[in-house]
Amino acid sequence: MSLVYGAVATFRNICFNCHLLKQTEFKTPTICVGNISVGGTGKTPHVEYLVRLLSKHFGNQIATVSRGYGRSTSGFVLANSTSTAATIGDEPNQIRCNNPSITVCVDENRCRAISHLQQMPQPPKAIILDDAYQHRYVKPKINILLVDYNRPIFADTMMPSGRLREPRWGKNRANVVVVTKCPENVDKQLFERKLNLKPNQKLFFSTFKYGNLKSENGAYTLSKNCSVLAVSGIAHPENMLQYLQSQSADVKSVRFADHHNFSQSDIDQIVVQFNSITNPNKLIVTTEKDFSRLVDSPLYEQVSKLPLCRLPIQVEFVGSQSAEFDNIVIACLTK
């Protein structure tokens, strides 16, 4: 099955490379952020990093386009202050909440979305395509490929036996490759050798920095005398769990599948697990992505009075790479 899947993905890419399938290059400069593996590379924090970067150069006239995975709507939807995870998807809703002054939209057809954005009274000056590396109908100004440090593409195989969406040589389309979730002592030479990028491709290494806890019902902080119930519905919560373990006395974990919609039994499980913690100094900590789904759920009221916190996350580049990365992105968009 993996061989068949790989053959189909390869044939599709050949069709694009030979112009049998059409790519459209739009007047508005676009950045594509994505991966060639299934989930868990940290796309949303990297998109938000780009939002902050582009805001310095284009003000609020930037937009993000996502598919809107898991939403109840279809077609083109322009996010507004009443949008929820159900109407636009949990990741776009997280981007909207953290960056309320920019334009956020969802559409499974990215070409159609960009056309709608260009017809707005104040069209964006730059567009970020979230999770669009395989959506080759748009020809971006710059392709950014994310590679998970913990499961790099050179150590993976095609679906369904592995997690690759397309063969490893799909990396050759990238202008920039970012190895994500890196530890402080990342072996850069190993990745340089194993990835074997072309001379015109740039390689960067990023890590996650966690911010102060946010809550709707109080001010909470992590400490070595508090206990934590970590609730996660993301592909790979290991980094978050390691951070919480380093910042607290002990951590219990309740894990759900990526993009999981909370049910009554899930809420019951969370409450039971929280009540089983004997330490009176205890917190529930979840991700911003999970909170985006939970707060819009009719079940939210059942946990809203508990010390429920969300843990913000931001991208930092290892060493002094941020300036070089920023310069490459801005140069590609403005040339």
Side-chain angles (χ1 to χ4, degrees), residues 105-239:
C105 72
V106 294
D107 197 336
E108 54 272 20
N109 185 325
R110 272 78 164 190
C111 289
R112 179 173 60 197
I114 295 173
S115 296
H116 278 298
L117 291 172
Q118 290 183 331
Q119 294 168 18
M120 292 175 63
Q122 277 195 318
K125 294 182 178 179
I127 298 172
I128 304 169
L129 305 177
D130 179 18
D131 195 13
Y133 199 77
Q134 282 74 43
H135 190 89
R136 297 192 60 187
Y137 294 100
V138 176
K139 186 177 181 180
K141 279 275 191 179
I142 179 170
N143 246 332
I144 300 176
L145 174 65
L146 306 182
V147 175
D148 188 347
Y149 169 86
N150 300 295
R151 189 160 182 176
I153 57 176
F154 54 74
D156 210 342
T157 57
M158 287 296 303
M159 294 173 60
S161 63
R163 293 172 56 242
L164 296 185
R165 297 174 173 178
E166 60 176 299
R168 298 170 202 165
W169 51 82
K171 65 181 172 59
N172 295 334
R173 299 197 305 276
N175 305 97
V176 169
V177 176
V178 181
V179 180
T180 67
K181 305 181 184 178
C182 294
E184 293 181 4
N185 59 342
V186 57
D187 188 345
K188 295 181 181 180
Q189 291 184 343
L190 172 66
F191 279 84
E192 289 171 356
R193 184 174 69 254
K194 291 284 190 178
L195 287 172
N196 191 27
L197 300 180
K198 296 179 178 180
N200 64 320
Q201 294 179 296
K202 298 293 184 180
L203 179 61
F204 294 90
F205 299 85
S206 70
T207 187
F208 287 154
K209 178 183 178 182
Y210 294 97
N212 296 325
L213 296 177
K214 295 180 180 179
S215 179
E216 303 301 302
N217 58 8
Y220 301 102
T221 57
L222 294 169
S223 68
K224 282 297 184 178
N225 64 351
C226 80
S227 297
V228 170
L229 177 64
V231 177
S232 60
I234 58 176
H236 299 289
E238 292 83 6
N239 285 68

Side-chain angles (χ1 to χ4, degrees), residues 65-138:
V65 177
S66 307
R67 175 188 171 192
Y69 183 85
R71 62 187 171 122
S72 59
T73 58
S74 61
F76 177 79
V77 177
L78 191 64
N80 57 41
S81 59
T82 64
S83 296
T84 66
T87 58
I88 62 174
D90 52 9
E91 291 164 343
N93 195 47
Q94 175 185 327
I95 295 170
R96 176 193 71 83
C97 291
N98 289 341
N99 308 275
S101 59
I102 70 164
T103 301
V104 175
C105 72
V106 294
D107 197 336
E108 54 272 20
N109 185 325
R110 272 78 164 190
C111 289
R112 179 173 60 197
I114 295 173
S115 296
H116 278 298
L117 291 172
Q118 290 183 331
Q119 294 168 18
M120 292 175 63
Q122 277 195 318
K125 294 182 178 179
I127 298 172
I128 304 169
L129 305 177
D130 179 18
D131 195 13
Y133 199 77
Q134 282 74 43
H135 190 89
R136 297 192 60 187
Y137 294 100
V138 176

